[in-house]
Amino acid sequence: MSLAVSRCLGRVLSRQTALSSFVMGEVPNAIQSPWFASAMTLKTSAPLRAEPKKKKKVDPRREQIARERLRKKLKKLEKVPPELIPIEDFITPAKCLDETRARSAPRLAFEESEHRALLLKEWSRYKQKQHIAEMEAIALALEAQREALEELKFESEELYQAALKPDPLLFPFIHEGPSYTPPKAKYEAPDGKYNDITKVYTQ
């Protein structure tokens, strides 16, 4: 029994010496690492140089207060109307609002100004007479048409109804629009060279 125990201890010690010699660099091309220490020697783990993260204790009341604040902010943002994108075509440029750029009216002689005033008065009288004559002619034509339709109604109801229908040949007009054809799939429209100065607005 003692012989078997001594043999077993001898084998273990021989393995330890071989492993220690391998670890300590006696064996060529060996890698020195703390993980290859023998089972009978003291061994330490590799330095990690880090501290485990501590879990912060979150107060449920604070978390609820933060959520309420976020809800209030969202409600305020919903009440604010969205900003409209300005239409630059409706905005007058600032250089056009400069009053110093107003043109001065040319100075006319007294005789020329009087001549223009008299000519304008004469023109207004002429247009007034022309308007009155046109209104009288239209009134006479409508009255004659009404009397003619009344007489035609007494003569024949069919002719009266035919006279009330619109005449398509009174103003002959023929128009042919573009024919509907499917677009070409591989057609690239020529845009030409231009500088795109369109402003992009984000909300």
Side-chain angles (χ1 to χ4, degrees), residues 10-181:
R11 290 177 183 177
V12 171
L13 290 174
S14 63
R15 290 179 183 177
Q16 288 179 0
T17 54
L19 185 59
S20 61
S21 63
F22 178 80
V23 172
M24 296 306 293
E26 295 178 2
V27 179
N29 299 327
I31 301 174
Q32 295 183 4
S33 175
W35 303 109
F36 289 99
S38 64
M40 300 299 291
T41 59
L42 297 174
K43 55 184 178 180
T44 58
S45 61
L48 300 177
R49 302 180 185 275
E51 183 181 358
K53 293 182 179 180
K54 296 180 180 179
K55 294 183 179 180
K56 296 182 179 180
K57 294 182 179 179
V58 181
D59 191 1
R61 293 181 181 178
R62 290 184 179 179
E63 189 176 359
Q64 188 176 1
I65 291 171
R67 288 181 181 177
E68 290 295 331
R69 288 178 182 174
L70 184 60
R71 287 177 185 175
K72 289 181 180 179
K73 288 182 180 180
L74 290 175
K75 286 182 180 180
K76 287 182 180 179
L77 291 175
E78 289 177 357
K79 291 180 181 179
V80 177
E83 295 182 0
L84 300 177
I85 298 175
I87 301 175
E88 296 183 357
D89 296 339
F90 297 160
I91 300 174
T92 307
K95 63 180 181 180
C96 297
L97 299 175
D98 190 4
E99 296 180 357
T100 59
R101 297 180 70 253
R103 295 182 181 179
S104 58
R107 295 182 180 179
L108 299 175
F110 178 75
E111 292 81 4
E112 181 66 22
S113 61
E114 287 292 325
H115 176 68
R116 290 188 180 185
L118 293 174
L119 188 62
L120 185 60
K121 289 180 181 179
E122 187 67 26
W123 174 253
S124 62
R125 292 193 197 99
Y126 168 75
K127 295 300 291 182
Q128 183 182 10
K129 291 179 181 178
Q130 183 183 11
H131 176 69
I132 293 172
E134 288 178 355
M135 291 295 104
E136 290 178 354
I138 292 172
L140 290 175
L142 290 175
E143 183 65 21
Q145 183 184 17
R146 187 183 62 79
E147 292 179 357
L149 288 174
E150 287 181 357
E151 292 295 331
L152 184 62
K153 190 176 182 180
F154 288 126
E155 293 292 332
S156 174
E157 184 69 24
E158 295 179 358
L159 294 176
Y160 175 75
Q161 295 297 332
L164 293 178
K165 293 180 181 179
D167 187 5
L169 301 177
L170 185 61
F171 297 101
F173 177 72
I174 299 173
H175 176 70
E176 293 181 1
S179 58
Y180 182 76
T181 55

Side-chain angles (χ1 to χ4, degrees), residues 192-200:
K193 296 181 180 180
Y194 66 96
N195 296 326
D196 190 5
I197 57 173
T198 306
K199 295 181 180 180
V200 179

